[in-house]
Amino acid sequence: MIITTMKRYLPATRLINWHLGFSSFTFSLVNHGGGGSGFFNAYATSCAKLQDDPANANANNNPFSDMLVDSFGRMHTYLRISLTERCNLRCQYCMPSEGVDLTPSPQLLAPNEIVRLASLFVASGVNKIRLTGGEPTIRKDIEEICSQLSNLKGLEKLAMTTNGIVLAKKLPKLKESGLTSINISLDTLVPAKFEFLTRRKGFERVMESIHAAVECGYNPVNCVVMRGLNDEEMCDFVELTRDRPINVRFIEFMPFDGNVWNVKKLVPYAEMLDRVVKQFPSLERIQDHPTETAKNFKIDGHVGTVSFITSMTEHFCAGCNRLRLLADGNFKVCLFGPSEVSLRDPLRNGADENELREIIGAAVKRKKASHAGMFDLAKTANRPMIHIGG
């Protein structure tokens, strides 16, 4: 539900059905006038139905387990693992200004526990793992963890989300260790504003990491858009895609404990799209995979691409294939849901794989059809983002 002040950004839509070889999906055809920018077509995607045959859901030669299928038929092939709650930045949308209480180290998953649980998920059908934090690169054993995970039979993609502060010097070894993709978070191209938003210095090091990542064959840059803070820089970020194969991903500001979320700070997807298309009228939608969270676009003459992650105004819950393992061993089936179940405790109490599968499967079956609306989310108890993992 979008409040009245946003209504002028909501385009007229009509529904069309496409068959992409996966199953039937519903697309919303968006007609943008763009305030004089001309007629513009974009597609707002939601997955109406997932594959009927779980055995064909992944190509990793591992049998797909019912453990990863929820009561709505969604098959979860993507696991996000938070490696640490610690971070070398203090981003405003991630961490409360007063900081957070960190989980004592003995209560965090040890490397062998991370690999054991990841192995269980991959053997059950997960084919993509993303490492998050906190800041995963501050771990001294990050390369060894990547190496062990990348060697799991059936894992096709090993990704990482990082703030880039210490990434540049670790990139060659991380690539050797099997890391296949990286998202680097950067919310401003103004050094002084970077220090304000992150409460730390380090802009030049992040830019160095972005350049190094491109040289190593990685491409995405994540930008959380906040009204009055960095929304006027959107087209400057798009310019990064002109001569380099960078994928800039604009993310709607989301509510988490302690980040002082306010709807006035939210720049909805439709408004972001209008801003970009006014300056780049050749913006054209790229066909996305049905489980893709981002709406992806290309621009004539640009080497890179532009994407939008629209969790608040156009959620993609119907096609969600994501699960989360937190640094303290808690298992979370929805980023915005407060429900968590510990995998660490049964693991340390001697639970075997079948018992762990039962716990995971029961949690997955309890996953709701969609998360609550953004105003309800703002009032719902949930952990700070730095505890959950980016």
Side-chain angles (χ1 to χ4, degrees):
M1 179 178 181
I2 312 302
I3 62 172
T4 304
T5 55
M6 295 182 190
K7 284 183 178 178
R8 62 195 178 98
Y9 300 117
L10 296 180
T13 63
R14 60 185 176 89
L15 297 179
I16 58 176
N17 291 319
W18 280 7
H19 186 86
L20 302 181
F22 303 98
S23 58
S24 296
F25 298 92
T26 301
F27 290 75
S28 176
L29 185 61
V30 183
N31 180 359
H32 281 268
S37 61
F39 181 84
F40 176 76
N41 288 331
Y43 297 95
T45 311
S46 70
C47 180
K49 181 183 178 184
L50 294 182
Q51 288 171 316
D52 295 321
D53 184 3
N56 295 324
N58 58 344
N60 62 10
N61 297 319
N62 287 346
F64 198 92
S65 171
D66 181 67
M67 177 188 90
L68 299 179
V69 183
D70 68 14
S71 59
F72 302 95
R74 293 174 295 199
M75 294 170 290
H76 296 80
T77 58
Y78 182 1
L79 177 67
R80 299 175 72 100
I81 302 177
S82 176
L83 297 181
T84 178
E85 296 175 351
R86 297 183 179 275
C87 189
N88 43 13
L89 296 181
R90 296 292 183 270
C91 297
Q92 294 186 25
Y93 56 80
C94 183
M95 183 182 291
S97 59
E98 66 274 14
V100 296
D101 293 328
L102 298 176
T103 302
S105 294
Q107 296 178 29
L108 299 176
L109 291 177
N112 65 306
E113 293 173 323
I114 293 171
V115 174
R116 181 182 170 187
L117 289 172
S119 178
L120 175 61
F121 278 98
V122 172
S124 301
V126 163
N127 56 33
K128 178 178 179 179
I129 289 176
R130 178 173 296 279
L131 304 177
T132 69
E135 174 48 44
T137 60
I138 66 175
R139 288 194 61 136
K140 295 180 180 179
D141 56 359
I142 182 63
E143 294 91 348
E144 178 59 27
I145 291 174
C146 285
S147 180
Q148 291 190 53
L149 292 177
S150 66
N151 283 321
L152 293 177
K153 181 183 178 183
L155 188 69
E156 299 170 6
K157 297 179 181 178
L158 180 62
M160 178 185 294
T161 295
T162 171
N163 61 30
I165 291 292
V166 298
L167 177 66
K169 62 183 180 181
K170 295 192 173 189
L171 264 177
K173 182 63 176 177
L174 285 170
K175 188 167 185 177
E176 288 179 14
S177 300
L179 195 67
T180 59
S181 66
I182 293 176
N183 289 349
I184 301 175
S185 299
L186 179 65
D187 301 317
T188 179
L189 297 173
V190 181
K193 193 185 294 185
F194 176 92
E195 187 173 345
F196 171 75
L197 289 172
T198 66
R199 306 184 180 106
R200 294 290 188 274
K201 297 181 183 296
F203 174 79
E204 291 79 9
R205 281 182 286 173
V206 178
M207 292 304 297
E208 179 186 0
S209 291
I210 291 173
H211 295 314
V214 171
E215 290 297 316
C216 287
Y218 305 114
N219 67 2
V221 172
N222 284 357
C223 176
V224 176
V225 180
M226 295 165 282
R227 191 181 305 282
L229 290 175
N230 64 350
D231 54 321
E232 77 285 355
E233 295 186 61
M234 287 187 63
C235 290
D236 295 331
F237 272 94
V238 175
E239 284 292 345
L240 295 177
T241 72
R242 185 178 295 276
D243 300 316
R244 287 170 289 182
I246 292 175
N247 171 225
V248 172
R249 295 158 34 116
F250 296 116
I251 304 172
E252 290 183 333
F253 185 37
M254 298 175 281
F256 294 97
D257 280 9
N259 73 350
V260 197
W261 184 87
N262 188 306
V263 70
K264 293 180 181 178
K265 296 181 183 178
L266 171 68
V267 182
Y269 163 55
E271 181 183 349
M272 289 195 285
L273 196 60
D274 282 343
R275 284 177 180 236
V276 173
V277 77
K278 284 178 182 178
Q279 187 160 332
F280 303 94
S282 65
L283 192 73
E284 179 183 353
R285 184 69 188 269
I286 302 171
Q287 182 173 296
D288 304 319
H289 188 278
T291 59
E292 175 66 76
T293 60
K295 297 172 173 63
N296 302 299
F297 296 80
K298 63 181 180 179
I299 300 172
D300 285 349
H302 284 224
V303 178
T305 54
V306 177
S307 304
F308 301 86
I309 298 179
T310 64
S311 303
M312 295 295 94
T313 62
E314 289 189 17
H315 70 70
F316 29 81
C317 300
C320 181
N321 68 337
R322 290 152 181 77
L323 301 170
R324 291 173 178 266
L325 180 62
L326 279 55
D328 62 2
N330 275 14
F331 178 56
K332 199 174 176 72
V333 297
C334 176
L335 171 62
F336 299 107
S339 298
E340 300 177 4
V341 60
S342 178
L343 298 183
R344 177 201 65 204
D345 293 345
L347 183 66
R348 292 182 179 179
N349 289 331
D352 61 23
E353 287 199 358
N354 288 333
E355 291 171 311
L356 291 170
R357 288 176 188 275
E358 288 182 8
I359 296 170
I360 294 167
V364 171
K365 294 296 186 292
R366 292 193 296 269
K367 185 170 182 175
K368 296 181 178 180
S370 64
H371 63 67
M374 58 185 171
F375 298 107
D376 290 329
L377 288 176
K379 297 181 290 185
T380 301
N382 199 359
R383 293 213 248 176
M385 191 62 169
I386 195 164
H387 274 169
I388 299 172

